[in-house]
Amino acid sequence: MFIRILRVITLILSFLMACAGWFLLGRTYVDTWIPLAAAFTAGLLFAWMFARTAPKLTGIQRKPFGAIILFVVFSITAFFTVLTANYTGADLKSAKTVDAELIEKHVRTEYGTRRVGRGRYVRDSSKKIYHYEYTLRLPDGHTIERKTNASDYITLRQGLHYPVELRQGALGWTVIR
């Protein structure tokens, strides 16, 4: 019974680690394939090392499926660990502030419909949906997306420059703060 509970807790923690890793990937200024390749390599090595004990660890008696589950869980754990180590180890001394240009405020227009006859509808009024997100372009051309609250969103203007703090992470990848 304890092993089953432990397996469920492991799956829940893996899902939470994957979500947190994806969030940290958005805050890390690196190509996506680099941390993913490191995580997949670590997951492959760990799954290969524990392939014999995979049926006991996963509860699946077929070795290939147990090894695949171990590969996924270890890859997610490595992905989270690598990005967390880089983010938390960002050096305060290496912080530099750059001016990023606001290139877009995210607004979506939705159209309502009205009935003009039996089973016939036409497009009618429109309303704007504000997401309180905006896109900044860094001086080297890369773009980042940020979220803000309503009062700050109103004051944002396209074309103006806003400060963004960049720090050097523990693994050498730049972290956006």
Side-chain angles (χ1 to χ4, degrees):
M1 184 67 178
F2 176 72
I3 295 294
R4 288 184 181 169
I5 293 172
L6 190 61
R7 289 178 190 143
V8 170
I9 289 173
T10 302
L11 289 177
I12 292 171
L13 283 176
S14 294
F15 176 74
L16 292 175
M17 288 172 125
C19 293
W22 197 255
F23 169 76
L24 289 174
L25 185 62
R27 295 260 182 186
T28 304
Y29 189 50
V30 66
D31 289 331
T32 307
W33 67 270
I34 296 174
L36 284 176
F40 285 154
T41 304
L44 188 64
L45 289 174
F46 279 116
W48 179 64
M49 286 173 29
F50 293 107
R52 291 185 185 199
T53 59
K56 196 178 285 186
L57 291 173
T58 61
I60 298 173
Q61 297 304 319
R62 301 176 83 184
K63 282 188 179 181
F65 294 120
I68 289 171
I69 289 174
L70 283 178
F71 166 72
V72 169
V73 169
F74 284 134
S75 294
I76 289 172
T77 305
F79 181 68
F80 173 74
T81 305
V82 163
L83 288 174
T84 302
N86 185 59
Y87 189 79
T88 57
D91 190 17
L92 186 61
K93 295 176 185 174
S94 68
K96 65 178 181 176
T97 303
V98 297
D99 286 334
E101 178 186 2
L102 180 74
I103 56 173
E104 182 183 9
K105 291 169 68 171
H106 298 272
V107 179
R108 187 179 77 228
T109 304
E110 287 188 356
Y111 295 98
T113 58
R114 65 182 168 91
R115 187 174 176 195
V116 294
R118 199 179 317 167
R120 293 179 46 218
Y121 293 89
V122 294
R123 191 165 85 171
D124 191 25
S125 61
S126 66
K127 62 180 178 180
K128 294 192 182 282
I129 308 292
Y130 296 95
H131 296 283
Y132 304 121
E133 296 177 356
Y134 57 97
T135 304
L136 294 171
R137 183 182 313 139
L138 295 173
D140 63 355
H142 285 82
T143 59
I144 56 172
E145 292 194 8
R146 290 250 168 121
K147 294 183 182 203
T148 186
N149 56 22
S151 61
D152 290 341
Y153 185 81
I154 293 169
T155 61
L156 294 173
R157 299 288 178 255
Q158 287 186 355
L160 293 181
H161 294 272
Y162 296 94
V164 175
E165 182 180 322
L166 302 175
R167 292 184 188 175
Q168 194 69 27
L171 300 175
W173 303 327
T174 304
V175 173
I176 302 167
R177 292 279 177 141

